[in-house]
Every structure is written in C-alpha cells, then in structure tokens.
Amino acid sequence: MKKKIYFILACIAMACMLGACSAKNEKQDEEAVEMKQDEEIVLSEKQKNILKEAGLPQNYDELDAMQQINIRNIGAMLDYIENKYDKEFEFYKFYSDSTGFQTPSLEVYPIDDSECIVTIECVIESDSKKVTYTDDYLELQLTAEYEQEIRNCIKDKFPQTEFEVFSTIDLLEEEGNALSRASATTYICMVDPFEKEDDALKAAEEVINYVKKKNGNKPLGIYYYMQTEEQFNHTYVTSANDDFSDVEYKYRITTTNSYSKIEEK
C-alpha cells in the first residue's frame, strides 16, 4: 500500500514557535522576570541543537522572553519523558500559544523508533498552578502490539495477501495481552484474493471473530475493507485517525459488539 509521506521540518516549526519575537506579551515578560536573578540557566546540548536548527542564538541570555520560556518548557518536557521511561527521545515538533491561553505541547520520538511520534501535554492545575505532564507513549506502544496481533492472524490465514491494519485504542485494562486489554477501533484494508464474494466475506469474518474472541466482549469497532489491488494501492492512509471516507473498496464489513453489516461501493 502506498502511503502519504508528510515532510515536517522541525526547524521551521521551531522558528515559528521560538522565534516569534513580536508575539511577546506582558504575561510572558513577567514570567521571565520572575526567574531568580541569581539563577543561571544552563541549556542542554539538545536544547542548544534545537535552537541552532531554528536559527536562534544558543546563548540563553541572547533569547527574548518568549524564546526563553519556550526552550525551558521544551527542556522540562524532554526531562520528564526521558526520566519516566529511562529512554532517550529526540525532538520533533513544539507547539506554543503566544497568547498564553493554551498550554504548550511537545512531540518527540524514541531514538530507536522515529515512526513513533509521542505527544507530551503540559497540564497546569487551576488552584495550585502546579505544572505536570502527560504523554501517550504507552498507548502508542500498545496500539502497535494490538495491530501486530491482528496482522499475525491475517498473515497466518492469508500469507500471500497484501493488507494493512490501523487501530486506535479507546480504553485500556491493566492486565493481559494487547487484544484482551484494549477496547479499540480497527480498520483493515486487504486485497481480495478470492474469486467468489462469499469466500472473501467468510475470510473477513474469520479475522473479525478472532479479534472478538480475544477481546472478551469489550467495546470494539472493526471496518474490514476488501479491495482490488488497484484500490489497495490507491489507499492513502497512515493511521486510524486518517479520513477513510474516500477509501475505495469492493465491499466493507462493519462490525461492533451488537451488529455486523456488509456494504458495497
């Protein structure tokens, strides 16, 4: 399956987020002033590299107030996730609202898996103003495991058939393997290797029943697209969060816990 390729230049994003000198406001200036005068900010090598890629000074004192706030936030978020998982992550993208109404967020990826884009969100408690962070790394890891288990099932049943699996996890339980722990929505696109429609639908139902059995009757949704090879090669999706409304198919089986239906297009 051909996939869309998205080229995102981190340095451009950083130049926009870190280098918006004109977007400073009083709130940001005040936050910078509140830093203890005798407190020396020492930037890490990663922070310096981020600034360098954005075309900004690597000397903290040469940055304007907004840039100082943002590079500190980036450093704090990187420290958070690397300490939490005892793993090195690389910078990908940073989002910051110059008005101060939205909290910043950071996208990173594990140094050994550039395809796994992890989002770190900044959470500020309204009463104490305490800053904490959240991330979706474990959810992404489980999603990958969930998808792999379905891939293994399809590959075992149809070893010569091209297919792709995309899932999004809605709810997690504490114990068990990926299929038994998660409530998820899954999209399966597969080249139809059968001459008869009944055989193709039976094959799809076998995979669906396998997932449902392992799932333990937790909420799920499965959309199984049986396609021609041409349709499969012209399906440009990269994740379960993409828009599937334009996906062409011979027939699609839609399954939830309570019903199944077959559609032709």
Side-chain angles (χ1 to χ4, degrees), residues 146 171 173 177-184 208-222 257:
Y146 190 96
L171 182 66
E173 292 186 354
N177 62 24
L179 287 183
S180 64
R181 288 179 60 193
S183 299
I208 290 171
N209 289 334
Y210 170 83
V211 176
K212 293 175 73 172
K213 181 179 179 180
K214 295 286 186 178
N215 172 266
N217 204 38
K218 286 184 283 298
L220 59 74
I222 300 174
N257 293 72

Side-chain angles (χ1 to χ4, degrees), residues 102-121:
Q102 293 184 346
T103 56
S105 63
L106 179 69
E107 289 184 356
V108 297
Y109 59 87
I111 195 169
D112 57 355
D113 186 4
S114 61
E115 297 296 318
C116 180
I117 306 301
V118 181
T119 301
I120 306 169
E121 300 280 354

Side-chain angles (χ1 to χ4, degrees), residues 31-143:
E31 183 175 343
V33 171
E34 286 176 1
M35 296 294 295
K36 295 180 180 179
Q37 297 299 321
D38 58 347
E39 182 178 351
E40 181 181 0
I41 302 297
V42 178
L43 299 179
S44 68
E45 287 302 313
K46 281 189 179 181
Q47 287 171 300
K48 290 179 181 179
N49 288 335
I50 290 168
L51 291 170
K52 182 179 180 180
E53 290 295 320
L56 296 173
Q58 298 173 58
N59 185 333
Y60 180 81
D61 293 332
E62 294 179 23
L63 301 172
D64 66 40
M66 179 180 177
Q67 293 164 353
Q68 290 178 346
I69 293 169
N70 286 340
I71 199 62
R72 290 203 309 270
N73 282 332
I74 290 171
M77 290 180 179
L78 281 168
D79 286 344
Y80 152 80
I81 197 161
E82 291 186 338
N83 291 333
K84 180 177 180 179
Y85 298 109
D86 192 23
K87 190 179 186 70
E88 186 175 358
F89 288 80
E90 290 289 346
F91 168 84
Y92 186 56
K93 283 197 301 183
F94 177 70
Y95 300 89
S96 177
D97 176 15
S98 62
T99 65
F101 291 110
Q102 293 184 346
T103 56
S105 63
L106 179 69
E107 289 184 356
V108 297
Y109 59 87
I111 195 169
D112 57 355
D113 186 4
S114 61
E115 297 296 318
C116 180
I117 306 301
V118 181
T119 301
I120 306 169
E121 300 280 354
C122 178
V123 180
I124 302 176
E125 297 180 5
S126 57
D127 51 351
S128 64
K129 302 301 180 183
K130 180 181 178 181
V131 177
T132 58
Y133 303 103
T134 62
D135 68 87
D136 59 358
Y137 180 53
L138 291 181
E139 180 181 323
L140 292 172
Q141 293 294 99
L142 185 68
T143 299

Side-chain angles (χ1 to χ4, degrees), residues 180-244:
S180 64
R181 288 179 60 193
S183 299
T185 301
T186 298
Y187 301 84
I188 302 171
C189 298
M190 189 172 93
V191 176
D192 182 1
F194 304 97
E195 294 182 1
K196 296 181 179 179
E197 179 177 330
D198 288 346
D199 292 337
L201 296 177
K202 181 180 178 181
E205 287 173 352
E206 285 181 10
V207 176
I208 290 171
N209 289 334
Y210 170 83
V211 176
K212 293 175 73 172
K213 181 179 179 180
K214 295 286 186 178
N215 172 266
N217 204 38
K218 286 184 283 298
L220 59 74
I222 300 174
Y223 301 86
Y224 208 123
Y225 296 80
M226 280 292 190
Q227 302 174 295
T228 65
E229 187 168 356
E230 181 180 2
Q231 290 171 335
F232 182 83
N233 289 331
H234 287 84
T235 299
Y236 300 105
V237 294
T238 59
S239 78
N241 296 319
D242 287 346
D243 183 5
F244 279 74

Side-chain angles (χ1 to χ4, degrees), residues 248-263:
E248 297 287 336
Y249 54 86
K250 294 172 66 176
Y251 23 83
R252 179 180 70 182
I253 302 176
T254 301
T255 298
T256 67
N257 293 72
S258 56
Y259 76 93
S260 292
K261 67 177 180 179
I262 300 173
E263 304 166 88

